[in-house]
Amino acid sequence: MTKRITVDPMTRIEGHLRIDCEVDNGKVTKAWSSGQMWRGIELILQGRDPRDAWIFTQRICGVCTTVHAIASVRAVENALNLEVPLNAQYIRNMMVLAHGIHDHIVHFYHLSALDWVDIVSALKANPRKTAQLAESLSSWPMNSAHHMEQAQAKLQTFVSSGQLGVFASGYWGHPAMKLSPEVNLLATAHYLQALEYQRKANQIVTILGSKTPHIQNLAVGGVTNAINLDSQSALGMERLFYIKTLMDELGDFINNVYLVDVAAIGAMYADWTKYGAGVSNYLSVPDLPLDTKGTKFELPGGYIENGDLSKFKPITSYQDAYFQKGVKESVKHAWYKGGKGALHPYDGETVPAYTDFQDDGKYSWVKAPTFYDKRAQVGPLANVLCMVAAGHEPTKRYLNKVLAMAGKVAGAQIPVAALHSTIGRHAARAVRTAVFYESLQNQWQLLVNNIAKGDVKTFNRFEFPKSEIRGFGFHEAPRGTLSHWTVIRDGKIVNYQAVVPSTWNAGPRDENDAPGPYEASLVGNPIADPEKPLEVLRTIHSFDPCLACAIHMVDTRNHKEIVKVQAVGAQCGVPF
């Protein structure tokens, strides 16, 4: 008998996402992904100065701030055919790498681990046995019995106080939970430790970007960081070596905790390599430019059709015509006016037209992107598979390491094909984090070496022509391929579209009624208890949804503020 279940809102993500599923004989047979918020940033930017766009687009989200700033300045630079100084490229690269490391650590431990780890069970664990297990997997110094006892005591304090915080709601004791109390305690201890290490990654972004979220150092044409080795108020060796210290501490956690946890827990849930594949067309873009023109990159990108790595098609530059011509968005099933078929972002329209939730009609505020008229999955899995197909040595090395560790725990060899799954997305994200750490070290060294040559330039000047120009900027963000598209006329924005990773993955059915990656990935998923659809959360969370990239509010009739908020210091009584 078919049963309809609705998960609304989808928790532990940024923004409001509704997932509807039809379940028959304990499996999902059909799914709908509905973004429950309207974005509207495209309307906010019309008529504005393109140099300011990156400031506005950062406010798309409180999490994905740096990435929108980067994609936005790249879009305007692309329209101007403007080169960016090497120092600016390296500084930008370091920020996006540190931001990505922060984001991936937070995703696994603080947003999705609770789908697999039974926190309540950890209270029954033997800390000494947990430590023995941990020390057999890794040399991490905080795996001792003392640290496990501390973690268990802290968890017990939460329980005893009745103030469980993030642990308050969860499917504890769910039949799909299968880890032992000791493994659950180990994961809980690392959950708490990860809070400190994601902070260290964010410190790097703050040092370079002046603050985070919402960095302040970008500019069309470069960055505003002044480089002066003789001044403490500029970017000099003191700050750079402090960044290096933070980097080294991050490396220990990534290699001795994150990679190991993902491999071990993934092996214990090896059955989940059979679920969640969904759309197997994979799209990613190259990133970390190594020249001023954006024609050489440290990390490759491209497109893979039907999961066949031998069909990898590279994307090679910021002017890549293959990428530029391939992107379209459909609003057939989204709450916008339309009817002209799927549109290229340069011609994109964002005119809201809300209806009720219609199973066969419009049911989401998210548009449906396609790449050459086909749905594509984006994100760490797409990125890792494309980098492997491109022959990127660090990615291949870390992927082999994770698969070997998981195989040792599982007692069987795990093939690369297992990555096309819910659990595979977690493995790919861990691999990508390790690659990012290695790249962060390399970008730091490139910056230091370039400064040592006497080059301190960080910005190139420009002027807008008195004509129409168009440009797109892409970035391989933590959640996948992000692109901003702008049409500029006489120095003002006349059209702006942001095609974000969660749009690619969370989009509804397209012009041809083909389901999006979220929807396709849920079909075939087991559901042990329709009243407690933990398995739905597992697969959707593996994408790391960020629906905040889907709403902003503006009074288009009266152009008035909707609300004004003033933050006041708790003690001094003056505005911050």
Side-chain angles (χ1 to χ4, degrees):
M1 178 180 178
T2 301
K3 180 180 178 64
R4 177 78 169 251
I5 62 174
T6 300
V7 182
D8 182 20
M10 179 70 63
T11 56
R12 276 186 275 122
I13 68 170
E14 183 65 44
H16 295 279
L17 173 65
R18 167 180 168 176
I19 296 292
D20 285 67
C21 296
E22 287 183 355
V23 180
D24 191 14
N25 292 322
K27 289 187 176 182
V28 175
T29 55
K30 193 173 183 179
W32 294 260
S33 171
S34 174
Q36 293 286 292
M37 308 187 300
W38 176 52
R39 186 166 65 200
I41 191 72
E42 296 86 351
L43 303 184
I44 294 171
L45 286 173
Q46 287 179 8
R48 296 190 182 271
D49 191 318
R51 293 171 295 184
D52 297 336
W54 70 274
I55 293 287
F56 285 89
T57 59
Q58 277 198 98
R59 272 69 187 177
I60 285 176
C61 178
V63 175
C64 313
T65 60
T66 301
V67 302
H68 287 295
I70 292 288
S72 182
V73 295
R74 287 177 178 173
V76 180
E77 289 161 356
N78 178 270
L80 292 164
N81 197 24
L82 179 65
E83 293 188 34
V84 176
L86 279 178
N87 288 327
Q89 299 284 43
Y90 298 147
I91 290 170
R92 290 180 182 183
N93 291 347
M94 290 174 65
M95 285 194 299
V96 300
L97 288 165
H99 172 78
I101 291 170
H102 154 79
D103 193 283
H104 289 340
I105 291 174
V106 169
H107 171 259
F108 178 70
Y109 286 101
H110 307 129
L111 300 181
S112 65
L114 302 186
D115 298 339
W116 311 90
V117 176
D118 192 331
I119 294 295
V120 176
S121 166
L123 293 173
K124 303 175 183 177
N126 182 320
R128 294 193 176 279
K129 289 184 179 179
T130 301
Q132 290 173 0
L133 170 64
E135 290 168 352
S136 72
L137 296 171
S138 165
S139 59
W140 178 240
M142 295 174 70
N143 277 342
S144 69
H146 172 68
H147 286 99
M148 297 304 134
E149 289 168 358
Q150 282 186 322
Q152 193 176 53
K154 185 172 289 188
L155 181 58
Q156 185 62 62
T157 300
F158 288 145
V159 173
S160 300
S161 69
Q163 298 179 8
L164 299 179
V166 294
F167 302 141
S169 59
Y171 295 132
W172 317 131
H174 192 283
M177 294 285 196
K178 59 191 299 184
L179 301 181
S180 69
E182 283 69 32
V183 176
N184 285 320
L185 176 57
L186 176 60
T188 302
H190 289 167
Y191 175 107
L192 297 171
Q193 293 169 16
L195 292 167
E196 174 64 14
Y197 287 89
Q198 59 88 12
R199 185 181 70 86
K200 292 180 186 294
N202 236 4
Q203 281 182 273
I204 297 173
V205 182
T206 304
I207 293 168
L208 295 171
S210 299
K211 68 184 288 286
T212 187
H214 306 126
I215 57 174
Q216 299 293 298
N217 71 319
L218 285 194
V220 174
V223 295
T224 60
N225 303 73
I227 297 175
N228 187 335
L229 301 184
D230 297 322
S231 172
Q232 289 186 330
S233 61
L235 183 60
M237 294 312 299
E238 181 180 359
R239 293 187 186 183
L240 286 170
F241 274 108
Y242 182 54
I243 288 173
K244 184 66 167 63
T245 299
L246 293 170
M247 286 164 45
D248 292 342
E249 293 174 349
L250 279 173
D252 288 341
F253 183 84
I254 292 167
N255 286 294
N256 294 315
V257 182
Y258 185 18
L259 283 177
V260 177
D261 283 352
V262 169
I265 293 175
M268 295 172 190
Y269 282 103
D271 54 321
W272 273 85
T273 60
K274 298 182 294 184
Y275 307 118
V279 174
S280 58
N281 299 321
Y282 297 106
L283 176 66
S284 74
V285 290
D287 218 324
L288 310 186
L290 299 174
D291 63 355
T292 61
K293 296 181 179 181
T295 61
K296 298 178 182 178
F297 301 89
E298 181 165 340
L299 301 180
Y303 178 66
I304 295 172
E305 190 170 349
N306 295 326
D308 186 348
L309 273 62
S310 68
K311 295 182 179 180
F312 173 71
K313 170 79 173 178
I315 295 169
T316 59
S317 77
Y318 284 154
Q319 302 290 341
D320 193 286
Y322 174 62
F323 178 82
Q324 180 183 4
K325 295 176 181 178
V327 180
K328 291 182 182 177
E329 288 187 301
S330 167
V331 298
K332 180 179 179 180
H333 292 281
W335 287 313
Y336 300 100
K337 291 182 179 178
K340 303 176 183 178
L343 297 176
H344 188 277
Y346 285 148
D347 304 314
E349 299 175 350
T350 309
V351 183
Y354 180 75
T355 68
D356 291 332
F357 191 106
Q358 303 169 336
D359 284 4
D360 298 319
K362 294 178 178 289
Y363 59 90
S364 178
W365 283 113
V366 182
K367 297 179 182 180
T370 55
F371 194 63
Y372 289 96
D373 301 320
K374 294 182 179 181
R375 303 311 294 267
Q377 180 182 156
V378 303
L381 177 56
N383 186 218
V384 165
L385 290 175
C386 284
M387 290 198 291
V388 168
H392 187 246
E393 189 278 327
T395 303
K396 293 165 65 177
R397 174 167 26 95
Y398 283 113
L399 178 57
N400 289 336
K401 181 178 180 179
V402 168
L403 292 177
M405 285 192 292
K408 183 177 180 181
V409 175
Q413 187 174 359
I414 298 177
V416 173
L419 293 176
H420 304 289
S421 64
T422 294
I423 209 71
R425 277 185 280 273
H426 288 290
R429 191 172 282 105
V431 168
R432 190 170 187 258
T433 306
V435 171
F436 270 24
Y437 171 66
E438 197 165 300
S439 293
L440 182 58
Q441 291 178 304
N442 186 48
Q443 292 295 319
W444 183 91
Q445 194 63 58
L446 287 171
L447 177 60
V448 170
N449 291 347
N450 199 55
I451 294 172
K453 295 176 183 177
D455 182 2
V456 295
K457 189 174 183 178
T458 59
F459 177 76
N460 284 333
R461 296 186 179 276
F462 63 92
E463 291 183 0
F464 287 107
K466 294 292 184 180
S467 61
E468 180 176 294
I469 55 176
R470 296 183 172 197
F472 66 98
F474 57 60
H475 166 45
E476 190 64 18
R479 288 160 185 82
T481 298
L482 167 66
S483 58
H484 285 214
W485 308 73
T486 184
V487 180
I488 301 168
R489 187 178 301 135
D490 299 330
K492 299 292 183 181
I493 295 172
V494 295
N495 198 6
Y496 200 101
Q497 298 290 326
V499 186
V500 307
S502 288
T503 309
W504 284 99
N505 290 333
R509 286 158 178 76
D510 65 11
E511 204 69 18
N512 298 315
D513 298 329
Y518 285 7
E519 297 172 333
S521 68
L522 286 169
V523 175
N525 268 30
I527 302 292
D529 182 354
E531 301 301 320
K532 299 178 179 179
L534 172 63
E535 298 89 346
V536 172
L537 271 66
R538 283 180 172 175
T539 288
I540 297 299
H541 283 167
S542 72
F543 288 92
D544 193 8
C546 191
L547 269 290
C549 296
I551 185 171
H552 286 273
M553 293 181 290
V554 62
D555 187 336
T556 59
R557 291 173 296 180
N558 301 311
H559 299 282
K560 294 180 179 179
E561 291 177 336
I562 294 174
V563 63
K564 185 174 183 178
V565 178
Q566 183 181 34
V568 178
Q571 296 180 357
C572 61
V574 297
F576 289 112

